[in-house]
Amino acid sequence: MQVSVETTQGLERRLKITVPSANVDKIVNDQLRRLSKTQRIDGFRPGKVPVSIIKKRFGATVRQDVANDVIQQNFYQAVVQEKLTPAGAPQIQIDSLNEGEDFAFTATFEVYPEITVSGLDALEVEKVSASVTDEDLANMLETLRGQHATWSEVESESKSGEKVTIDFAGSIDGEEFEGGKAENFELELGTERMIPGFETQIEGMKAGEEKEITVNFPDDYQAENLKGKEAKFAIKVNKVEAKSLPEIDDEFCTKFGVAEGGIEALKTEVRKNMERELASSLKLTNKNAAIDALIDTVEVEIPKALIDQEVDSLRQQAVQRFGGNTENVPELPASLFEENAIKRVKTGLVLSEVIKANEIKADDDKVKSLIEDMASAYEDPSEVVNYYMSNEEMLNNMRNVAVEEQSVEFVLSQAKVTEVTKTFDEIMNKQA
């Protein structure tokens, strides 16, 4: 096998590989002889078909199949020999496949970039901490009460915190616009679900009342044809309902699986869940802060093949979030995901270099801690821990997570870190 390497542009490499004709022709002839033993052709006894007849009928197909195998085997040997690391599948062009001629093909692909990570001690990172206060707990209990509220119809004027069921039809310059009309639309006043001014002008209306309101679409509204436009909405209120919140008593506690211990047990359980979610959000917030500071200082040429792969992955995740049914769904444009894909690929490349350069290995205690933290959200944590610890594939996944976290911890240990304390709501609302 002869190999020549050419750098075309940036990270792209072109390998020209030539395999002696004798090597390929021998494999082709061996396969043709095997076919002559198994093929049934009229006029010949089974197993007695001349190789020349088999070659005439199947020669081109067999040679192509052999070529595919030879390409795969020799491409792998060539990149190892030339110490290249492909960043994606190669584009193959067969230059010569004729019998009696050396088999030549060209493989074009991108390689992983060379990355140097230095100056970690100059990085400036804001590390955030927060805790769950009694006030946070009280607010969460009120949120839980709101989630289990009941509604009862009233005849009084609607006000913030009440729910109205309305019909509405919107128009601009006397013409109705798409998406501006609905019937029996439920709206809780004060939630600011609608454009500014919509809800406040409905407050004070009673069931059966009708009126026209005027609002302005924001300049940054998502629909291009509505940005900054003044619109009129004909409103009819069909129903007004007031909210009734349940009492926090033993019956309320049972809705959350707290059968014993009453209110104090519920508070303990809710606080524990809040602290677990806060810890997870803080870890993610600080991880992102460290990564953002790191990748901003490293110049990396990113292989397009890796970006394309990440775009496809993000596109599939987006479809799955909307039900997972890809049938009759138009392909989402790559531009929607490209910026995020570039950041994710760059993050992976840079962290990989940090891990490699500093020989970071998965710490067993770290792995076990991660598994235990994840398992604590389940009814029987010990069962989940045992499952992970006995499943090598799942265990390896957690080792990868541990190595990534350890690499971020290493970056933070080297950087100039500023400690900042924030509230529970500041952290959780940002994550939401």
Side-chain angles (χ1 to χ4, degrees):
M1 176 183 69
Q2 294 181 343
V3 180
S4 63
V5 184
E6 177 187 357
T7 298
T8 53
Q9 57 179 359
L11 298 173
E12 189 177 87
R13 301 292 183 269
R14 184 176 294 149
L15 276 183
K16 188 172 181 63
I17 302 172
T18 304
V19 182
S21 61
N23 295 11
V24 179
D25 291 347
K26 181 180 185 305
I27 299 172
V28 171
N29 291 331
D30 287 345
Q31 291 203 15
L32 290 174
R33 278 193 292 271
R34 281 194 291 271
L35 278 176
S36 71
K37 306 293 184 183
T38 59
Q39 291 298 311
R40 293 181 176 274
I41 296 179
D42 292 343
F44 298 95
R45 286 182 297 160
K48 299 297 183 180
V49 181
V51 173
S52 59
I53 299 296
I54 294 295
K55 183 176 182 180
K56 186 175 181 180
R57 179 170 295 191
F58 301 107
T61 301
V62 169
R63 183 167 287 273
Q64 184 62 60
D65 290 342
V66 169
N68 292 337
D69 292 339
V70 170
I71 288 171
Q72 184 174 2
Q73 179 182 1
N74 285 271
F75 173 74
Y76 174 75
Q77 292 178 356
V79 295
V80 171
Q81 174 183 308
E82 301 298 325
K83 298 179 181 178
L84 299 172
T85 309
Q91 293 182 337
I92 301 295
Q93 177 183 328
I94 296 177
D95 302 318
S96 174
L97 187 55
N98 298 323
E99 183 179 3
E101 297 179 2
D102 289 345
F103 173 49
F105 67 93
T106 301
T108 305
F109 54 94
E110 291 176 292
V111 295
Y112 279 88
E114 293 184 4
I115 301 173
T116 301
V117 178
S118 60
L120 294 182
D121 56 344
L123 295 182
E124 296 183 0
V125 182
E126 184 178 273
K127 186 176 182 181
V128 181
S129 62
S131 61
V132 177
T133 66
D134 291 342
E135 184 180 356
D136 296 326
L137 176 60
N139 291 338
M140 182 59 70
L141 290 174
E142 285 302 303
T143 299
L144 295 177
R145 289 180 74 199
Q147 292 172 354
H148 290 79
T150 56
W151 298 91
S152 56
E153 196 166 346
V154 296
E155 297 181 1
S156 56
E157 295 180 351
S158 62
K159 58 181 180 289
S160 181
E162 294 182 336
K163 183 167 66 176
V164 293
T165 302
I166 60 174
D167 300 337
F168 64 83
S171 61
I172 295 176
D173 297 330
E175 297 289 333
E176 291 189 1
F177 55 88
E178 185 178 356
K181 189 173 184 178
E183 294 182 351
N184 291 320
F185 180 81
E186 292 187 350
L187 175 64
E188 186 175 347
L189 299 177
T191 56
E192 300 182 355
R193 284 177 56 194
M194 310 298 280
I195 58 176
F198 190 97
E199 295 177 25
T200 55
Q201 293 184 72
I202 296 174
E203 290 181 20
M205 295 180 68
K206 295 181 178 181
E209 189 175 343
E210 299 182 31
K211 78 172 182 180
E212 184 177 79
I213 66 173
T214 301
V215 296
N216 287 290
F217 283 95
D219 292 334
D220 59 353
Y221 194 69
Q222 60 266 29
E224 194 68 34
N225 61 316
L226 300 178
K227 287 182 176 180
K229 296 288 183 67
E230 180 183 271
K232 296 184 182 299
F233 283 88
I235 306 289
K236 178 184 178 184
V237 177
N238 300 323
K239 185 166 57 175
V240 179
E241 296 174 277
K243 180 191 294 186
S244 296
L245 297 175
E247 293 296 323
I248 301 181
D249 52 20
D250 289 346
E251 182 181 353
F252 181 77
C253 294
T254 60
K255 296 179 185 294
F256 302 93
V258 178
E260 298 179 358
I263 298 171
E264 291 306 314
L266 175 63
K267 288 181 177 180
T268 299
E269 187 64 26
V270 171
R271 183 185 286 273
K272 185 169 66 175
N273 289 336
M274 292 174 68
E275 289 174 342
R276 181 170 58 243
E277 291 177 8
L278 178 61
S280 176
S281 295
L282 284 171
K283 180 186 289 185
L284 181 59
T285 297
N286 291 326
K287 172 184 174 181
N288 288 340
I291 288 174
D292 288 346
L294 175 64
I295 65 176
D296 283 347
T297 64
V298 181
E299 291 295 327
V300 182
E301 185 176 0
I302 304 175
K304 185 178 183 302
L306 297 184
I307 297 173
D308 291 342
Q309 291 171 21
E310 194 62 37
V311 165
D312 287 341
S313 176
L314 291 171
R315 183 188 282 125
Q316 291 172 11
Q317 292 173 24
V319 171
Q320 289 169 359
R321 282 197 297 271
F322 290 99
N325 185 2
T326 58
E327 294 181 10
N328 302 320
V329 175
E331 184 171 80
L332 298 170
S335 57
L336 288 176
F337 310 101
E338 191 165 6
E339 182 179 352
N340 196 14
I342 291 172
K343 182 176 180 180
R344 288 175 63 158
V345 172
K346 184 176 181 180
T347 297
L349 292 172
V350 174
L351 280 183
S352 293
E353 179 58 27
V354 171
I355 292 166
K356 177 183 173 184
N358 298 282
E359 299 181 347
I360 298 173
K361 309 291 184 184
D363 180 80
D364 290 341
D365 290 339
K366 179 77 170 180
V367 173
K368 187 176 180 182
S369 175
L370 287 170
I371 295 173
E372 288 173 346
D373 286 346
M374 179 271 303
S376 65
Y378 291 82
E379 185 175 350
D380 187 351
S382 62
E383 183 179 347
V384 178
V385 171
N386 291 335
Y387 172 72
Y388 269 77
M389 298 302 290
S390 62
N391 185 311
E392 192 63 25
E393 181 179 354
M394 302 296 285
L395 198 54
N396 280 332
N397 288 339
M398 295 308 291
R399 289 186 181 118
N400 291 335
V401 173
V403 167
E404 183 178 281
E405 288 202 3
Q406 288 171 230
S407 67
V408 172
E409 290 167 1
F410 176 79
V411 171
L412 287 171
S413 72
Q414 302 296 305
K416 298 175 182 177
V417 176
T418 303
E419 301 278 351
V420 177
T421 301
K422 294 190 176 183
T423 66
F424 176 84
D425 283 342
E426 285 176 321
I427 298 299
M428 300 309 295
N429 289 339
K430 181 179 179 181
Q431 289 300 321

